[in-house]
């Protein structure tokens, strides 16, 4: 059963804490992406990775960090430096045969208490 | 700057109506354009992908058109049903795999 999984579905964080969101894919895709979605807004790109051990900042990378040690995994850490982290986070992946499109996970809702 | 705009932001129609959702984009050098559906609190489900060389794509009651020269795409939904209620997102894909999203149109179909 191929696809992208994200965990947890819901995450609560106290102010000042770092939290890590998980994203795993078994589609054999080289590229992976993290987006943030706020109410009434489109998705905004946080970070992306075209290949293992390499990643690039997107439009709103401040306060976030990522790693890409394995092709299947692209975890996102929301650090205490992110001023307004409450949002819906979506992970996506794409491959050579994707014709440019991306496949999305189910998302993680992060709430800062 | 590559911007994607969707109009209207919200739309409410009675069941059975045909409707059109609009998407416009400022940079017409696109690779592909894609329409997604998003249910509340869920991820994105791909509806239709239009390659830059195509004018339209159809899937069931859905038809998406693309006019690159004018920077516009429309999603036509025929004979709308309550199950069509969701947010519809337009995404423009550029050659570097850069994907730019509109803010979406929130559709409500009333029984």
């Amino acid at each position: 059963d191929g696809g992208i999984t994200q965990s947890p579905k819901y995450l609560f964080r106290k102010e000042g804490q770092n939290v890590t969101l998980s994203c795993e894919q078994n589609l054999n895709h080289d590229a992976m992406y993290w987006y943030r979605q706020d109410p009434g807004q489109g998705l905004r790109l946080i970070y992306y990775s075209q290949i293992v051990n390499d990643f690039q900042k997107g439009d709103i990378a401040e306060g976030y960090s990522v790693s890409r040690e394995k092709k299947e995994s692209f975890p996102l850490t929301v650090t205490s430096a992110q001023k307004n982290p409450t949002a819906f986070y979506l992970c996506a992946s794409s491959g050579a045969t994707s014709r440019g499109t991306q496949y999305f996970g189910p998302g993680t809702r992060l709430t800062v208490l | 700057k590559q911007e994607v705009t969707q109009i209207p932001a919200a739309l409410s129609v009675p069941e059975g109506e045909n409707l059109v959702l609009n998407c416009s984009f400022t940079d017409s050098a696109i690779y592909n354009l894609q329409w997604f559906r998003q249910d509340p609190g869920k991820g994105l489900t791909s509806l239709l992908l239009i390659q830059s060389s195509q004018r339209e794509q159809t899937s069931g009651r859905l038809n998406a058109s693309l006019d690159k020269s004018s920077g516009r795409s429309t999603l036509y939904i025929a004979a709308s049903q309550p199950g069509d209620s969701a947010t519809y997102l337009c995404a423009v894909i550029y050659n570097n795999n850069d994907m730019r999203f509109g803010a979406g149109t929130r559709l409500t179909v009333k029984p």
Side-chain angles (χ1 to χ4, degrees):
Chain A
D1 190 19
I4 302 177
T5 58
Q6 291 186 240
S7 61
K9 184 174 176 66
Y10 299 98
L11 186 57
F12 298 90
R13 189 194 92 172
K14 293 181 180 179
E15 285 192 20
Q17 287 183 336
N18 294 352
V19 289
T20 298
L21 283 59
S22 170
C23 178
E24 303 277 334
Q25 55 98 1
N26 60 4
L27 299 168
N28 199 34
H29 285 166
D30 286 316
M32 296 186 74
Y33 311 81
W34 274 106
Y35 292 92
R36 170 182 172 138
Q37 187 178 31
D38 294 283
Q41 297 189 36
L43 279 66
R44 292 183 289 168
L45 183 64
I46 304 172
Y47 267 98
Y48 65 99
S49 168
Q50 303 275 31
I51 196 168
V52 174
N53 292 323
D54 185 55
F55 48 84
Q56 306 293 331
K57 292 182 179 180
D59 298 324
I60 55 166
E62 185 176 351
Y64 300 97
S65 66
V66 293
S67 63
R68 187 84 188 278
E69 298 177 0
K70 299 187 300 181
K71 187 175 185 178
E72 301 80 15
S73 179
F74 191 40
L76 173 74
T77 297
V78 184
T79 74
S80 57
Q82 170 49 235
K83 301 301 181 189
N84 184 22
T86 294
F88 190 55
Y89 291 86
L90 286 160
C91 178
S93 70
S94 67
T97 59
S98 298
R99 294 182 295 167
T101 190
Q102 297 171 16
Y103 295 83
F104 285 82
T108 292
R109 170 78 60 185
L110 172 63
T111 302
V112 173
L113 303 174
Chain B
K1 187 177 179 182
Q2 298 164 331
E3 295 184 349
V4 181
T5 304
Q6 290 188 246
I7 295 174
L11 181 63
S12 181
V13 300
E15 182 176 5
E17 272 203 8
N18 303 326
L19 57 100
V20 175
L21 308 181
N22 297 290
C23 173
S24 61
F25 44 94
T26 54
D27 183 349
S28 61
I30 72 172
Y31 182 60
N32 291 330
L33 185 141
Q34 191 163 9
W35 284 92
F36 290 91
R37 169 184 172 136
Q38 185 177 32
D39 292 289
K42 306 289 187 182
L44 276 60
T45 299
S46 177
L47 297 173
L48 290 164
L49 173 70
I50 310 176
Q51 298 182 49
S52 62
S53 58
Q54 297 176 322
R55 297 282 293 182
E56 65 177 344
Q57 281 285 337
T58 299
S59 176
R61 294 182 293 109
L62 305 179
N63 175 276
S65 67
L66 173 63
D67 185 343
K68 275 183 58 178
S69 61
S70 66
R72 295 179 187 276
S73 175
T74 62
L75 178 66
Y76 175 81
I77 302 177
S80 58
Q81 303 170 359
D84 295 330
S85 297
T87 296
Y88 291 81
L89 294 165
C90 169
V92 177
I93 306 164
Y94 295 96
N95 276 325
N96 57 355
N97 283 343
D98 186 13
M99 208 167 193
R100 297 286 163 171
F101 289 83
T105 294
R106 189 174 68 254
L107 174 65
T108 303
V109 181
K110 298 179 179 179

